[in-house]
Amino acid sequence: MLNTTLARSTADSATPDEAVQALVDSAARTINLHADLAAVLSTNYRETSVQVPIRREDGTLVVAHGHRVQHNGARGPYKGGIRYHPDADLAEVRALASLMTWKTALLDLPFGGAKGSLQIDPGQYSARELEAATRRLALSLSHVLGTYRDIPAPDMGTDARVMAWFMDAYSSRNGYSPAIVTGKPIALGGAPGRTAATGRGLAYVLEAFARQHGWNLTDCRIAVQGFGNVGSWVARELHAAGATIVAVGDVHGGVLNQSGLDVGELIRIVEAGGAVVDLEGPHDTLSSSEVLEADSDVLIPAALGGSITAENADRVNAAVVLEGANHPVTLGGDAVLNERGIQVIPDILANGGGVTGSYFEWAQNIQQFTWSEQQFNQTLRDRMVAAFGQVQAAADSKHLTLREAAYVVALERVAHTVELRGYS
Ligand code: NAD
C-alpha cells in the first residue's frame, strides 16, 4: 500500500503534484497498468503559454504570462479552471491539470482534464484592466479551446464576471458560444445550483457514506474549517439534513458549541463581510487550527491545501474526514489518519460536485435548454451517490482506502478509453 511505502516525513513534504503522481503510480501498480500507458498518462497532451500585455491605467505596460495545460482528453473535451494568481506558473498548472483528468473520470463526466492561469494578482488591477487582460487571454488561447475541445471555468482569482468577458471575447471570433466556459452569470447561460454545487455535493457524498455505515445524519456532529463558498454551503446543507454543526472556522478563528451553532446566523455574518468569530450567543472561541481538533464525528477541511499533516493528524478528533478543499491532507497526514482508523473521503470524489455542476451547465448550453435548480440538485445527488458507491465497492473488493480506490476507479476509466482509442 502507498502509505506503507512512503516515509512520513517525505510524504509530508511532497508537493500536491508529487502527491497526485504518487497516488496515480500506486493505482497503476494496483491495476497492473502497462508501462507504455502509464508513460502516456503521466505526461500532458499539450501545454500552451502566451504573453498577455496589459496597459495599466497609468499608461505603463505589464507583460503577463498565461498558460493552458491539457493533460488528457481521451474521455471528452478538456475541462478545468483558469486561475489568476502570480504564482500560478506552468509547473503549478501542470499539476492541477492532471488532477482534473482523474476527477472528471471518477465522476464519470464526458471530459478530460486541463487547467489554466494568468500570472497576475487580480487584486492589484482595475476592472477595466482585468477585462482587457481576460479578453486578450481568451483570444490568445482560442485556437486550443472550443465547446467540444476545451472548456475553462472559474478558479482562484476568477469569477462569473471574468467568465462573461471570456465568453464574449471567444464569441466575438467564433460566434455565440455560451458553452465555451462554465461558471457564467445565470443571465448568460449559467446554471442555477452551480454556485452551491461543491458544498451540496459534499453533503450528498456524506449522506451516502452514512447510509453505507448505518449512521444517521441527525446524530452526526460536524466541524468545518473554512466558511467560504464550499464550507458555508456544506454546513447549510448538512444542517438542513438534521446534522449538528458544532465547530466552524475561517482565517480569523473559529467558534465551537457542542449543542450546535446557528448556521443561518453565521452565513448572514459572513455574507455581510464579517468573520465567524463575530457570532454572538453561547459558544467557545477557537483558533483556526483548533477547529481541526474539535470533538466531532465528521471533520470537513474546506479552506486550504495541506492543512492536515503528519504533525497535527494525531490531534484530529473525528471518525471521518470529508475533504472539501483540494489536497487538504498531506500524504504524511493521510498515513497517520489511516493508522488511527479515521476514514478519509478523498477530494477527487468529495468536492467533485463543482465540476459535475459545470457539466450540467455545459450540457444545458449546448442543448439550448434550461433545467430547474431542483433538477440540477437531484441529478447532482444521483451522480455523487453513484460515484461514492463505485469507490466504496472498489475499496471493499481490493482492500484499499477510499482515496486509493478513487484513483484506481479513475485510472481504470481513463486507461480503458485511451486503449480503445489507441495511443501510438
Ligand atoms: P473561499 O475563498 O470562498 O473560502 C475559503 C475559506 O477558507 C474562507 O472562509 C477563508 O476565511 C478560509 N481560510 C483561508 N485561510 C484559512 C486558514 N489559514 N485557516 C482557516 N480558514 C482559512 O474558497 P472556496 O471556494 O470555498 O474553496 C475552498 C477550498 O475548496 C479551496 O481549497 C478550493 O480550491 C477548493 N475547491 C473549491 C471548489 C469550488 O467550487 N469553490 C471546488 C473544488 C475545490
Side-chain angles (χ1 to χ4, degrees):
M1 267 207 208
L2 172 75
N3 292 322
T4 56
T5 58
L6 279 169
R8 275 192 199 178
S9 56
T10 315
D12 238 13
S13 59
T15 62
D17 183 19
E18 291 164 343
V20 170
Q21 195 53 50
L23 291 159
V24 173
D25 290 346
S26 171
R29 286 192 294 276
T30 303
I31 64 171
N32 293 318
L33 188 71
H34 193 286
D36 291 352
L37 205 41
V40 169
L41 293 176
S42 61
T43 50
N44 295 308
Y45 170 69
R46 178 162 48 197
E47 302 180 351
T48 308
S49 290
V50 295
Q51 61 167 203
V52 180
I54 308 170
R55 181 68 64 189
R56 304 293 315 253
E57 303 285 3
D58 65 5
T60 59
L61 187 78
V62 172
V63 182
H65 301 284
H67 310 284
R68 185 71 177 170
V69 173
Q70 296 161 329
H71 173 255
N72 186 280
R75 290 175 45 87
Y78 300 96
K79 188 88 190 82
I82 291 204
R83 65 175 50 173
Y84 286 3
H85 194 282
D87 299 336
D89 58 10
L90 196 52
E92 178 170 314
V93 176
R94 276 188 186 124
L96 295 164
S98 116
L99 190 64
M100 288 306 296
T101 298
W102 314 122
K103 194 179 284 190
T104 56
L106 182 64
L107 273 302
D108 208 7
L109 308 177
F111 290 135
K115 206 77 178 189
S117 73
L118 181 63
Q119 286 189 254
I120 60 165
D121 175 357
Q124 301 299 313
Y125 288 81
S126 70
R128 193 206 59 76
E129 290 165 345
L130 281 179
E131 178 177 345
T134 300
R135 290 182 181 281
R136 187 66 184 247
L137 180 69
L139 292 176
S140 299
L141 291 176
S142 65
H143 61 296
V144 297
L145 304 178
T147 296
Y148 293 100
R149 179 173 287 168
D150 186 349
I151 306 127
D155 199 272
M156 201 185 285
T158 52
D159 56 15
R161 183 181 61 159
V162 172
M163 292 304 107
W165 294 329
F166 204 101
M167 172 247 182
D168 186 68
Y170 183 89
S171 296
S172 71
R173 181 172 290 173
N174 298 283
Y176 180 62
S177 311
I180 186 58
V181 286
T182 56
K184 297 177 293 294
I186 304 247
L188 292 183
R194 171 67 185 81
T195 305
T198 304
R200 285 204 174 114
L202 281 158
Y204 299 155
V205 167
L206 187 63
E207 282 173 13
F209 178 93
R211 263 194 305 280
Q212 170 82 23
H213 292 268
W215 290 16
N216 196 335
L217 270 190
T218 53
D219 298 330
C220 276
R221 294 164 310 134
I222 313 280
V224 188
Q225 187 209 36
F227 207 65
N229 174 286
V230 178
S232 66
W233 273 106
V234 68
R236 189 187 315 223
E237 202 67 23
L238 290 174
H239 176 67
T244 307
I245 312 300
V246 295
V248 160
D250 61 22
V251 69
H252 305 290
V255 289
L256 172 84
N257 184 344
Q258 286 293 343
S259 306
L261 294 163
D262 185 341
V263 175
E265 183 58 18
L266 283 165
I267 289 169
R268 273 188 290 281
I269 290 168
V270 170
E271 281 180 351
V276 298
V277 289
D278 297 335
L279 183 71
E280 291 177 359
H283 65 263
D284 295 327
T285 304
L286 305 172
S287 70
S288 297
S289 58
E290 282 169 344
V291 174
L292 299 170
E293 302 165 21
D295 184 9
S296 60
D297 299 302
V298 181
L299 168 64
I300 307 177
L304 303 172
S307 56
I308 300 174
T309 64
E311 191 278 316
N312 66 356
D314 278 330
R315 299 194 296 278
V316 167
N317 202 357
V320 171
V321 173
L322 177 68
E323 294 188 330
N326 286 322
H327 194 59
V329 180
T330 64
L331 290 179
D334 205 36
V336 175
L337 297 178
N338 287 334
E339 279 166 20
R340 295 182 58 210
I342 296 174
Q343 294 243 41
V344 181
I345 308 179
D347 49 5
I348 62 167
L349 167 65
N351 72 24
V355 69
T356 304
S358 276
Y359 165 51
F360 300 161
E361 179 179 333
W362 176 77
Q364 290 172 69
N365 292 156
I366 59 180
Q367 291 176 14
Q368 301 189 323
F369 190 79
T370 52
W371 296 2
S372 67
E373 186 164 354
Q374 192 189 15
Q375 181 181 358
F376 184 106
N377 292 341
Q378 185 57 51
T379 316
L380 179 65
R381 184 192 295 264
D382 293 347
R383 283 190 168 260
M384 300 304 294
V385 169
F388 172 78
Q390 288 148 6
V391 171
Q392 182 72 60
D396 291 345
S397 67
K398 295 185 166 72
H399 308 292
L400 301 171
T401 65
L402 291 175
R403 191 190 304 283
E404 289 164 338
Y407 276 87
V408 162
V409 171
L411 188 63
E412 273 178 334
R413 285 193 182 144
V414 177
H416 184 54
T417 315
V418 172
E419 259 183 327
L420 284 173
R421 291 181 62 161
Y423 57 93
S424 63

